[in-house]
Structures are given as structure tokens and as C-alpha cells.
């Protein structure tokens, strides 16, 4: 587990997966189908449990310019700057089962709050949980 300070808010546009975890690929597919340069974009996932404890998962891309999300018909969200605890999963596609375990470990931090964030960098996934 590492500490990380996100210096600036990240404004993202997103779509909510119809189910978790089965609907995640479809949600990212919807984003990719609307954004012409999707393969070059910063990809993010963020989630938080609802009142019933179900995970609400959102597939997102960082906005390239102000208003981009609404141009494509998506809602926007601000991933807040500040302190996060993180763990990186290398070659995450072959280790998908470890993602849940990693977040379960991170959210045990006594100051953990929402959102839980997945930041994708090539074959690496940085799992981030806001603290404080």
C-alpha cells in the first residue's frame, strides 16, 4: 500500500454499468463507441456502494476539454484531488480476480472514503481509495 497525493481534480465523463461486475465491459464499450479517439484517452473507473451495499460502478474517461462529456451525452463527475492510498496491479487483465481483493484491502484503511478509483495506464491498473 502506498500513499499518493492527487494534485488536481480529475473531471471525467462516465456511464454507469448496468450490473457489477458483469456490466463493466459493456459500459467501457459504450464510451469507446462514442469517442473517436478512445484508444488514446485516459481511462478511469470509479465506484462506491449504495445504501444497500451494492457496488455502483462507473466507466469513465478524463475530459479533454470543458463540456466534452455533455457533447457526447454523458454525465460528468469530479474525482477529487487529495490523499489516496494506492496499490498497482501489473498486467491486470490476467489478474482480474485480484482487483476485488486489492480494493477490499484498501477500504479497510481507517480513513477510507468514496470513491474507489481505477486508473488505467497501459497494462497496469492503479487502485486508489480516497482517505481523509
Amino acid at each position: 500500500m502506498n500513499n499518493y497525493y492527487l494534485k488536481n481534480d480529475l473531471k471525467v465523463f462516465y456511464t454507469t454499468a448496468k450490473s457489477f461486475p458483469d456490466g463493466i465491459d459493456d459500459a467501457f464499450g459504450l464510451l469507446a463507441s462514442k469517442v473517436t479517439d478512445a484508444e488514446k484517452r485516459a481511462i478511469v473507473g470509479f465506484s462506491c456502494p449504495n445504501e444497500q451495499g451494492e457496488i455502483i460502478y462507473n466507466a469513465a474517461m478524463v475530459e479533454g476539454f470543458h463540456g466534452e462529456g455533455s457533447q457526447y451525452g454523458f454525465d460528468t463527475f469530479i474525482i477529487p484531488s487529495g490523499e489516496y492510498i494506492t496499490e498497482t496491479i501489473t498486467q491486470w487483465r490476467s489478474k482480474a480476480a485480484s482487483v476485488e481483493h486489492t480494493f477490499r484491502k484498501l477500504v479497510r484503511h481507517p480513513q477510507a472514503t468514496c470513491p474507489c478509483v481505477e486508473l488505467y495506464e497501459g497494462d497496469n491498473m492503479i487502485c486508489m481509495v480516497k482517505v481523509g
Side-chain angles (χ1 to χ4, degrees), residues 13 30-31 33-38 41 61 63-65 67-75:
F13 58 94
L30 177 62
L31 285 174
S33 74
K34 303 280 185 178
V35 180
T36 56
D37 63 347
R41 303 301 292 274
M61 290 185 182
E63 269 199 341
F65 55 88
E68 182 181 21
S70 60
Q71 174 182 312
Y72 292 120
F74 293 110
D75 290 329

Side-chain angles (χ1 to χ4, degrees), residues 85-130:
I85 52 172
T86 68
E87 196 163 303
T88 300
I89 301 173
T90 58
Q91 304 295 318
W92 68 269
R93 286 178 182 86
S94 64
K95 301 174 188 172
S98 67
V99 174
E100 179 181 359
H101 171 75
T102 300
F103 275 110
R104 286 191 184 279
K105 182 170 62 172
L106 292 173
V107 298
R108 283 192 222 120
H109 187 284
Q111 295 178 316
T113 63
C114 280
C116 293
V117 178
E118 299 166 355
L119 181 59
Y120 296 90
E121 292 185 340
D123 291 331
N124 297 331
M125 175 194 293
I126 303 171
C127 301
M128 305 170 57
V129 174
K130 184 92 168 84

Side-chain angles (χ1 to χ4, degrees), residues 42-78:
I43 304 295
V44 179
F46 66 96
S47 62
C48 214
N50 64 14
E51 295 80 30
Q52 294 78 32
E54 301 165 321
I55 302 295
I56 305 302
Y57 185 92
N58 302 284
M61 290 185 182
V62 175
E63 269 199 341
F65 55 88
H66 179 71
E68 182 181 21
S70 60
Q71 174 182 312
Y72 292 120
F74 293 110
D75 290 329
T76 58
F77 181 77
I78 301 291

